[in-house]
Every structure is written in C-alpha cells, then in structure tokens.
C-alpha cells in the first residue's frame, strides 16, 4: 500500500503549511503579550518566528543596553546605513534603528526588548 496517494499527499503538504502559519501567529502573539513592557528580554527564536521577521532583521525590537561602551546615538538615513555603521565599528554585534533616524550600536552582550516601530538586527547577517 503506498504511503500517500495524490490527494492525501496534498492534504499532508497543506497541513504542514498550516502548521507553519500557526507557529508564526503564536510567536507573534507571544511577542504581543510581552509588549506591554519593554523591560522584558525577548527570546530571539520567538522573535525570528514572528510574522514579518527573519533570522537577521527584526521589527518592533531593540537591543539593550541602548549603546555599547564608547558609542552614542548617531543619525543614519536607513536601517541599512545603520547596519553598515555597525559593521564598520569594532565590537559591534547588533544595531537598533529608530523611526527618527536614530542609530544605536550594541555589543554581543545586548538583549532584545520590544520597541514599537524600531528595526534591529545583527551586524553581519545578510538577507
């Protein structure tokens, strides 16, 4: 007896697709539940699984502390420019780009937190 006929194979593929969609929605819900306080560290795997995010770039997330030692806010025209600034800065592992064009650089010890309309990411991760 074959494992799956054409129809059951299609249903199995659809079930896997739905499971992935549900996983993304659950991860997004977890983030929304934690949003009430930008004081709670977020789990990177949960953030990456949320709809609209990837392994490299995160929406509505900042890294804390705001600035790594020896750095301060700079003004950059885009998140890409902010990431490039991070890549050029020794010790920079993460960046946080704010809607007012504020760019903050963080080292490898920074933790993720919720921040509305902020784009954050890893310095050396290309999409």
């Amino acid at each position: 007896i074959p494992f799956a006929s054409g129809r059951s194979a299609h249903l199995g593929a659809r079930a896997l697709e739905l499971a992935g969609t549900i996983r993304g929605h659950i991860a997004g819900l977890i983030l929304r539940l934690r949003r009430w306080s930008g004081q709670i560290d977020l789990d990177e795997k949960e953030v990456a699984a949320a709809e609209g995010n990837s392994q490299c770039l995160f929406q509505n997330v900042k890294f804390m502390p705001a600035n790594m030692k020896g750095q301060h806010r700079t003004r950059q025209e885009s998140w890409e420019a902010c990431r490039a600034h991070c890549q050029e800065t020794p010790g920079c592992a993460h960046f946080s780009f704010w809607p007012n064009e504020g760019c903050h650089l963080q080292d490898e010890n920074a933790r993720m937190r919720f921040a509305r309309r902020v784009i954050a990411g890893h310095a050396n991760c290309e999409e």
Side-chain angles (χ1 to χ4, degrees):
I1 298 174
F3 176 73
S5 68
R7 179 164 169 69
S8 62
H10 172 73
L11 291 175
R14 180 72 179 133
L16 288 175
E17 180 183 331
L18 288 173
T21 300
I22 291 168
R23 221 175 300 122
H25 288 300
I26 289 171
L29 176 61
I30 290 169
L31 286 181
R32 284 190 291 281
L33 291 173
R34 291 184 177 177
R35 281 183 184 170
W36 65 271
S37 172
Q39 305 301 313
I40 300 171
D41 289 347
L42 302 174
D43 180 88
E44 186 169 336
K45 290 178 183 174
E46 291 174 354
V47 173
E51 192 172 347
N53 288 339
S54 70
Q55 298 296 322
C56 296
L57 197 62
F58 314 105
Q59 297 178 28
N60 298 314
V61 171
K62 64 183 177 181
F63 281 94
M64 290 297 293
N67 297 302
M68 59 188 257
K69 187 175 181 176
Q71 295 297 313
H72 59 278
R73 179 190 184 275
T74 61
R75 188 175 182 145
Q76 304 292 332
E77 61 186 40
S78 66
W79 69 262
E80 294 94 340
C82 185
R83 179 175 63 187
H85 178 52
C86 182
Q87 290 170 337
E88 296 166 356
T89 304
C92 185
H94 314 285
F95 67 91
S96 300
F97 181 72
W98 294 74
N100 64 0
E101 297 184 341
C103 176
H104 295 269
L105 307 182
Q106 297 85 24
D107 63 23
E108 64 185 15
N109 297 313
R111 300 290 174 244
M112 294 177 136
R113 301 253 175 101
F114 171 76
R116 183 174 296 283
R117 298 177 42 215
V118 176
I119 297 173
H122 300 296
N124 296 309
C125 192
E126 298 292 328
E127 300 230 45

